[in-house]
Amino acid sequence: MSTSPRLAVLGSGKGSNFVALQEAILAGKLNATIALVISDLPDATILTRAKAFGLPTATLPPSPFKTKLGPEGEIALVQLLQDAGIEWVILAGYMRVVKDPLLSTFPNRIINIHPSLLPAFKGLRAWEQALTAGVKETGCTVHFVNKDIDAGEIIAQQRIPVLTEDTPETLHARIQEAEHELFPAALTKVFQK
Ligand code: GAR
């Protein structure tokens, strides 16, 4: 492995976690290089934000499926990653299930952030699931990705109280503040091993 791990960041949304990672790198807090930012959605804000940092971006070909890429898309993704010399695949709001050949090409090298205290509230809109369940606290989790959804080995977690006045938006915003601290810290821990 190179002294500065080469990362690809994959995201489908606004990319605030990507920004937190890139800012941690620029501040010298995270020893890594984001060599490629990839989205499955050509209009995703994460791509605009990556370009603003001067980072290379790529968009995946459209998929016939909503929740996964499909075999051809996965093969195209692996090719992109290999061509860019990527060592670690970082999922930052990437809203598709990861399958083979991506999993088998990067064993224990794919890391995700999820907006709950896993194993609680897997899947979509986890902060809303937490509110509906009426729990007193939730949080965020950084974990390795395996073939089971949101079930890989946990690297780090941060707890967040749920307030009585919380709406889905306020709760997610507080979880995201915690994510922006937790994600770079968790990656630092992994890359130091
Ligand atoms: C984050 O809160 C992340 O935890 C969540 O999507 C958001 C992306 O925000 N991911 C999942 O729900 C994955 N199941 P961002 O685009 O601003 O980083």
Side-chain angles (χ1 to χ4, degrees):
M1 206 203 309
S2 65
T3 50
S4 178
R6 282 175 73 80
L7 320 184
V9 178
L10 270 70
S12 311
K14 64 184 194 298
S16 69
N17 278 290
F18 150 71
V19 170
L21 293 178
Q22 178 63 5
E23 286 181 345
I25 290 170
L26 294 176
K29 293 180 187 164
L30 172 61
N31 175 34
T33 301
I34 298 179
L36 189 56
V37 177
I38 304 174
S39 185
D40 54 327
L41 302 176
D43 296 335
T45 308
I46 189 172
L47 294 175
T48 319
R49 291 177 121 170
K51 286 174 193 154
F53 281 106
L55 295 175
T57 62
T59 304
L60 297 171
S63 166
F65 311 101
K66 219 174 161 188
T67 57
K68 59 180 182 178
L69 283 182
E72 284 175 21
E74 284 270 338
I75 290 167
L77 174 55
V78 167
Q79 192 65 54
L80 263 177
L81 297 168
Q82 287 180 330
D83 289 348
I86 298 302
E87 296 168 299
W88 294 86
V89 179
I90 309 301
L91 308 184
Y94 179 67
M95 301 312 275
R96 291 180 195 257
V97 180
V98 173
K99 305 258 182 197
D100 271 339
L102 184 59
L103 282 171
S104 51
T105 309
F106 291 90
N108 293 316
R109 290 294 181 108
I110 307 174
I111 295 174
N112 181 45
I113 187 148
H114 183 79
S116 76
L117 293 175
L118 289 173
F121 311 125
K122 297 174 180 177
L124 296 178
R125 300 183 70 81
W127 58 91
E128 225 166 71
Q129 296 184 48
L131 267 188
T132 305
V135 292
K136 295 268 182 291
E137 66 173 10
T138 181
C140 49
T141 302
V142 177
H143 66 95
F144 288 103
V145 173
N146 63 17
K147 65 176 178 31
D148 301 316
I149 295 174
D150 298 330
E153 183 193 337
I154 290 172
I155 298 163
Q157 291 185 305
Q158 178 65 51
R159 294 173 181 279
I160 296 288
V162 179
L163 309 178
T164 43
E165 65 269 26
D166 262 329
T167 63
E169 291 71 30
T170 60
L171 182 56
H172 189 209
R174 279 208 321 292
I175 291 172
Q176 287 225 283
E177 276 177 33
E179 289 183 335
H180 301 159
E181 297 294 320
L182 186 72
F183 212 178
L187 293 186
T188 299
K189 190 170 111 177
V190 170
F191 298 156
Q192 276 168 352
K193 278 189 182 163

